[in-house]
Amino acid sequence: MKLKAFNILFLLITTTFFAQNSVKGIVINKAGKALENVEIYNKTNYQSFNSNASGQFEIKSLSTGNNVIVFFIEGYKVEERTFNSQENNVNIKITLEELTTTLSEVVVMKEKEKQFALNKLKDIEETAIYAGKKTEVITLDKITANKATNNARQVYAQVVGLTINESNDGGLQLSIGGRGLDPNRTSNFNTRQNDYDISADVLGYPESYYATPTEALESIQIVRGAASLQYGTQFGGMINFKIKKPSTKPIELITRNTLGSFNLFTNFTSLSGTKGKFSYYTYYNYKQGDGFRPNSKFDSKSFFTNLNYQFTENTSLHFDYTHFSYLAQQPGGLTDFMFNQNPEQSNRTRNWFDVDWNLFALRFKHHFQHNADFSLQLFGLDASRKALGYRSNRVSNPDVLGTERDLILGDFVNWGAEARYLKKYKFFGQDNAFLIGAKYYQAKNAGIQGPGSSGNNANFNLATDEFPNYRTQSNYEFPNLNISIFGENIFKISQAFSITPGFRYENIKTQANGFYRRINNDLAGNVISDETVNEENVKERDFFLLGLGLSYKMKNGIELYANASQNYRSVTFNDIRTVNPSAVIDENITDEKGYTSDIGMRGKILDNLSFDTSVYALYYNYKIGEYLTEAPNTAAVVRYRDNVGTALTYGFESLIDWNINKTFFRENEDFIWSLFSNIAITDSEYLKSDTKNIKGNKVEFVPNYNLKLGTGIGYKNFLTSIQFSYVSSQYTNAENNPIDINDNTYGIFGAIPSYSVLDFSASYKYKNFKLETGINNVLNNWYFTRRATGYPGPGIIPSEPRVFYATLEIKF
């Protein structure tokens, strides 16, 4: 009898224990169908789970007291429930309401706000760790903007401290930087699409000639400098373009057509669906336009397909293929005098740029029953870029028909594999996580430079027969090999406080094999010297990068975070062996080394005000910069690129988003109003330099003030947004040369003046139709964001004046 009583008591204690620590149940829709892969997030202790193929779920390790649990899956309204750890939380039934086309845009937007809170980068995302890092997520469905031309000012409005090179070519390329990093083709970020690399060469040429169409994106993830531990070595960190997931319907067709100023026309058509274990998403994007300057027309085509198969609830396979090609005529750059005289002019009629990009990726994901995840991705690139034109460093010189043009051809062939294993485990009663990963990357790229034809068309064939004595000719191969191992571990000291140390080991081998030929002529055009130099450069190095992240999550939902991480950036052989009449690169240039650090606070206040404020420091050793000098063996003044010294960039960054309707109009479901401020205050200094006139100077590409203010107002199916941007002046070289408004020769020297821009966008939805329209640069300000030393210049590249656009979207 005593034994039986003891057994009953033991059973009651055990049942109570488990009831305090878990919630079990099923997720269904209103028709009673079980919903698979519903994301379940415990807002109280930041843990996440998913429902299985039968819709069943188990939420483990509840915190003491009330736990706020969020249930979400694409196509359904977010459900938020509260469970108490002391209650018997078993056989729970969660019914999700489907998002229908009858819901107003404001209601959908409010649902997206809930999803944003759920989808922002958590401490752990599949096989990645973000604890203690400076992370930002752009949710594209929340933005009312000019998405057809990838307007970066609007798309990245709520990412602090970014500087943007505006290319005026329909958004075919993305050029963003920040914290003193050159924005050119986003080369200081590790750029990824659906988690795999998309740049030309991660090591030898980390520039991105391909930009994922904004209309295809679900979100953009940005991790600042601490990303060097998991994603590469760059100072900027990582930017990841997440393409939309397949529709939960069997088939869904969306087509968007845009008309805009200067004969802009774009079409974006996507097809997606899910049938059983198979799902797919594919799109085609076409763009054409004339540009606001003469000689600036463009034409592009982009195609993407994503195929997915869910073998079991824990195992899936994903295949991506991307094709992107475009041909653009480039109007060239301007001198300061030309820009002030007429920024719409062009004296280059024969400059062309051609890109052909093919990306492949195969991703395998598996979740182990022992609370571990494994991912393996294979990726490859087969691409080319061709640049043709007259590139005199004397920008005001006319381009004479019948003379030679400079031709640069680049072929990029690379592939890689990245494996990750993440294990969650208990240690002293706390939930910890360990990540280990490895990456293999191999590239064999090629670069050719020589004479282009004397015509004015887009002929990308070498014209050595027509111009046998062309001044510069080269032919190189760039084999690169990279093996890296990385790891991080979240140590939970308490439920609120965690420490995340990490490391990355890099083994890098870069090569440049080939020759360059240099011919000098006298004033009469006679050859006075003809030199061919053969080279076989091999550079091997290996090193460790270390980092540490700290996170303290307070009970009110506010988080304090800090991190420090070492960084490294390899010098590119491709840059060294491309001769540019406007710029010269020192033959002894070497890699950059340094670290980044952040200390910040983020969270929500009263569910009305979200914020992320932080201070940062970015320290460079062997900082690569530019200064003016005479080119070796000539009298020409050029921008000379070299390791100019040790530099420090530091500043304050703040993003505040105030939900006004939640403050004053909480009960009005049909109204939404938000206001945001994005402020970056930055300073910088060259601490030491062996080059005269540089120590104590400001670091280039660092505006002291970078400000964006905006507001969005919506009622039922009508949404609007207004955004004001201001960027103070910034230097473009290490010598801090000021602006010379009378310069009518070069245009490549001097600062970039401060500028401000106002943008307006609006949208209206009716059933399956949606109309988007807007005005960019409402006040029609003339300004520029770049002094190019090569293509698309050299010289000042003016930004777009006032432009209009209108988009019609139809969903079937």
Side-chain angles (χ1 to χ4, degrees):
M1 188 68 181
K2 288 183 178 180
L3 182 59
K4 184 176 180 180
F6 176 82
N7 288 339
I8 294 173
L9 179 62
F10 178 81
L11 180 62
L12 289 173
I13 293 174
T14 304
T15 303
T16 303
F17 175 79
F18 281 107
Q20 290 175 340
N21 284 275
S22 67
V23 178
K24 294 182 180 181
I26 186 172
V27 188
I28 59 174
N29 62 15
K30 283 195 169 183
K33 179 184 175 183
L35 296 178
E36 180 184 3
N37 284 328
V38 175
E39 188 170 357
I40 303 165
Y41 181 54
N42 189 336
K43 293 174 66 175
T44 306
N45 61 18
Y46 313 102
Q47 292 186 326
S48 60
F49 309 89
N50 289 87
S51 62
N52 63 18
S54 302
Q56 296 175 335
F57 67 89
E58 181 179 6
I59 305 169
K60 302 176 181 178
S61 303
L62 296 182
S63 298
T64 303
N66 289 332
N67 289 253
V68 180
I69 311 296
V70 181
F71 298 83
F72 162 69
I73 188 172
E74 191 73 27
Y76 290 82
K77 293 185 70 173
V78 175
E79 179 73 15
E80 193 169 291
R81 298 279 292 272
T82 300
F83 298 95
N84 191 287
S85 60
Q86 302 299 319
E87 296 175 355
N88 186 17
N89 299 307
V90 295
N91 298 322
I92 302 297
K93 183 181 289 185
I94 304 295
T95 304
L96 300 186
E97 181 182 348
E98 190 170 2
L99 286 172
T100 66
T101 56
T102 59
L103 292 175
S104 72
E105 283 288 89
V106 166
V107 172
V108 173
M109 182 73 75
K110 290 182 177 181
E111 287 300 309
K112 293 297 180 182
E113 286 182 357
K114 297 176 185 177
Q115 296 169 22
F116 174 74
L118 178 65
N119 290 334
K120 67 180 181 180
L121 290 177
K122 300 183 281 289
D123 288 353
I124 299 172
E125 296 266 354
E126 294 184 340
T127 54
I129 290 177
Y130 300 109
K133 295 178 174 63
K134 174 79 169 179
T135 64
E136 292 150 308
V137 180
I138 304 168
T139 304
L140 275 303
D141 284 343
K142 289 185 60 182
I143 296 175
T144 306
N146 188 352
K147 299 176 184 177
T149 61
N150 300 345
N151 189 293
R153 267 198 323 270
Q154 294 177 293
V155 173
Y156 297 87
Q158 296 197 39
V159 179
V160 291
L162 287 187
T163 50
I164 300 168
N165 279 352
E166 298 177 7
S167 55
N168 313 315
D169 56 3
L172 302 181
Q173 293 186 19
L174 176 67
S175 293
I176 59 174
R179 299 181 173 182
L181 302 171
D182 189 348
N184 187 37
R185 298 195 184 96
T186 321
S187 59
N188 283 287
F189 283 89
N190 176 238
T191 52
R192 298 192 170 208
Q193 175 180 279
N194 285 351
D195 303 315
Y196 51 84
D197 292 304
I198 62 174
S199 60
D201 184 329
V202 175
L203 299 170
Y205 198 60
E207 301 193 7
S208 297
Y209 289 95
Y210 158 70
T212 310
T214 303
E215 292 169 299
L217 291 175
E218 176 184 86
S219 64
I220 302 172
Q221 303 171 341
I222 298 176
V223 185
R224 296 303 175 105
S228 62
L229 299 178
Q230 292 184 59
Y231 295 105
T233 64
Q234 284 91 345
F235 282 82
M238 183 272 295
I239 179 168
N240 185 27
F241 302 100
K242 300 289 283 188
I243 293 178
K244 291 179 179 178
K245 295 183 178 70
S247 170
T248 55
K249 304 174 184 177
I251 184 170
E252 181 180 80
L253 175 68
I254 299 175
T255 182
R256 293 168 54 90
N257 291 280
T258 300
L259 296 176
S261 302
F262 309 109
N263 295 321
L264 173 72
F265 169 73
T266 77
N267 170 267
F268 179 88
T269 301
S270 67
L271 187 69
S272 70
T274 301
K275 184 69 174 177
K277 296 183 177 182
F278 175 73
S279 62
Y280 63 96
Y281 178 84
T282 184
Y283 70 75
Y284 177 78
N285 187 208
Y286 175 75
K287 295 182 181 183
Q288 69 173 32
D290 290 340
F292 73 94
R293 298 170 64 197
N295 313 309
S296 58
K297 59 186 176 183
F298 59 86
D299 180 284
S300 80
K301 304 172 185 66
S302 182
F303 170 76
F304 171 82
T305 187
N306 161 244
L307 306 175
N308 311 281
Y309 192 79
Q310 193 79 32
F311 293 98
T312 68
E313 63 176 290
N314 294 322
T315 307
S316 60
L317 189 66
H318 313 264
F319 172 77
D320 287 2
Y321 169 67
T322 305
H323 172 75
F324 174 65
S325 62
Y326 78 85
L327 176 65
Q329 189 174 12
Q330 298 184 325
L334 304 177
T335 66
D336 289 79
F337 179 84
M338 294 168 68
F339 176 80
N340 291 315
Q341 179 191 56
N342 178 15
E344 294 179 278
Q345 64 181 298
S346 164
N347 66 350
R348 298 287 181 265
T349 62
R350 304 188 300 149
N351 289 17
W352 296 88
F353 201 82
D354 179 86
V355 167
D356 187 88
W357 225 250
N358 294 280
L359 286 161
F360 308 85
L362 184 66
R363 292 168 290 150
F364 173 79
K365 299 178 182 180
H366 180 72
H367 175 74
F368 295 96
Q369 295 300 323
H370 57 272
N371 212 12
D373 290 275
F374 172 79
S375 66
L376 172 67
Q377 59 181 11
L378 306 174
F379 56 92
L381 172 70
D382 184 0
S384 68
R385 68 101 169 87
K386 303 170 185 176
L388 173 69
Y390 179 64
R391 294 193 303 155
S392 170
N393 65 337
R394 294 179 176 269
V395 172
S396 58
N397 285 357
D399 181 7
V400 180
L401 183 65
T403 59
E404 75 275 12
R405 293 178 287 177
D406 195 33
L407 175 64
I408 300 175
L409 306 175
D411 289 314
F412 310 102
V413 179
N414 58 61
W415 71 277
E418 185 174 85
R420 292 165 171 261
Y421 176 80
L422 188 143
K423 167 66 177 173
K424 299 176 183 177
Y425 64 95
K426 289 280 189 180
F427 187 70
F428 285 106
Q430 299 294 338
D431 295 310
N432 295 262
F434 169 70
L435 167 69
I436 188 72
K439 181 179 179 180
Y440 177 91
Y441 181 81
Q442 181 175 317
K444 189 173 183 181
N445 304 321
I448 296 175
Q449 184 174 6
S453 68
S454 59
N456 60 1
N457 61 340
N459 180 357
F460 295 102
N461 295 314
L462 281 168
T464 49
D465 292 338
E466 186 179 3
F467 301 103
N469 296 326
Y470 184 69
R471 64 184 182 274
T472 302
Q473 300 175 39
S474 65
N475 192 326
Y476 276 85
E477 287 189 348
F478 303 100
N480 293 332
L481 180 64
N482 176 215
I483 299 173
S484 56
I485 301 171
F486 52 90
E488 294 193 29
N489 197 105
I490 300 178
F491 291 105
K492 278 287 190 74
I493 307 304
S494 68
Q495 192 66 36
F497 180 57
S498 67
I499 300 175
T500 308
F503 77 93
R504 185 179 185 90
Y505 168 75
E506 288 278 342
N507 182 280
I508 300 173
K509 181 179 181 181
T510 53
Q511 302 177 67
N513 304 324
F515 72 88
Y516 68 90
R517 182 184 179 196
R518 180 171 295 160
I519 301 173
N520 291 324
N521 301 322
D522 61 19
L523 296 177
N526 299 311
V527 176
I528 57 177
S529 67
D530 186 345
E531 179 187 22
T532 298
V533 179
N534 293 296
E535 290 188 308
E536 287 191 12
N537 291 329
V538 180
K539 188 173 183 180
E540 293 187 69
R541 56 272 206 206
D542 63 328
F543 52 87
F544 278 92
L545 299 175
L546 302 176
L548 181 68
L550 306 175
S551 172
Y552 182 78
K553 296 183 174 71
M554 294 182 277
K555 290 185 178 180
N556 58 6
I558 294 175
E559 178 187 6
L560 303 175
Y561 65 91
N563 67 71
S565 176
Q566 292 178 293
N567 298 94
Y568 169 91
R569 189 174 188 271
S570 170
V571 68
T572 65
F573 280 120
N574 205 354
D575 280 340
I576 293 174
R577 284 296 161 247
T578 299
V579 178
N580 184 335
S582 299
V584 174
I585 301 177
D586 188 278
E587 291 188 355
N588 298 315
I589 195 170
T590 189
D591 306 330
E592 290 180 309
K593 300 177 182 178
Y595 64 84
T596 58
S597 59
D598 295 274
I599 300 175
M601 180 169 61
R602 58 194 172 199
K604 272 194 172 185
I605 299 176
L606 299 176
D607 201 35
N608 298 332
L609 191 75
S610 61
F611 69 95
D612 188 342
T613 60
S614 64
V615 294
Y616 77 90
L618 199 160
Y619 179 86
Y620 304 82
N621 264 327
Y622 315 110
K623 172 77 168 67
I624 293 175
E626 296 178 350
Y627 55 92
L628 306 187
T629 188
E630 289 188 359
N633 304 317
T634 74
V637 178
V638 296
R639 279 168 63 162
Y640 197 78
R641 187 171 175 83
D642 192 9
N643 300 100
V644 296
T646 299
L648 176 67
T649 303
Y650 54 94
F652 167 79
E653 297 174 338
S654 171
L655 175 66
I656 299 175
D657 196 326
W658 179 24
N659 196 320
I660 299 176
N661 67 288
K662 280 190 177 181
T663 306
F664 299 109
F665 312 101
R666 183 176 293 271
E667 295 183 2
N668 192 335
E669 280 296 313
D670 291 323
F671 181 70
I672 191 170
W673 185 10
S674 64
L675 178 72
F676 79 88
S677 71
N678 175 348
I679 300 172
I681 303 173
T682 311
D683 205 352
S684 61
E685 183 181 358
Y686 276 101
L687 303 178
K688 60 182 180 180
S689 176
D690 294 330
T691 304
K692 64 179 181 179
N693 301 325
I694 290 182
K695 182 180 178 181
N697 286 356
K698 302 294 184 183
V699 177
E700 52 269 55
F701 310 114
V702 181
N704 287 127
Y705 303 100
N706 193 335
L707 168 70
K708 292 181 180 65
L709 301 173
T711 185
I713 302 175
Y715 179 72
K716 292 188 176 180
N717 287 313
F718 183 64
L719 302 173
T720 64
S721 72
I722 300 175
Q723 177 184 310
F724 174 77
S725 305
Y726 171 79
V727 179
S728 63
S729 63
Q730 54 187 296
Y731 294 107
T732 61
N733 58 23
E735 276 189 314
N736 292 180
N737 294 101
I739 299 169
D740 181 3
I741 60 173
N742 297 314
D743 171 26
N744 195 25
T745 303
Y746 299 107
I748 60 175
F749 311 135
I752 295 174
S754 61
Y755 63 90
S756 59
V757 191
L758 184 69
D759 298 305
F760 169 78
S761 295
S763 71
Y764 180 77
K765 181 183 177 183
Y766 176 73
K767 296 184 178 179
N768 292 340
F769 298 87
K770 188 175 183 181
L771 178 66
E772 300 175 4
T773 187
I775 308 172
N776 292 131
N777 194 358
V778 174
L779 302 178
N780 201 30
N781 290 338
W782 285 109
Y783 66 99
F784 62 92
T785 62
R786 184 181 181 190
R787 293 181 184 268
T789 57
Y791 294 106
I796 291 171
I797 309 300
S799 295
E800 276 187 333
R802 182 189 297 124
V803 294
F804 302 84
Y805 71 92
T807 301
L808 177 63
E809 175 184 298
I810 307 175
K811 181 184 291 189
F812 301 95

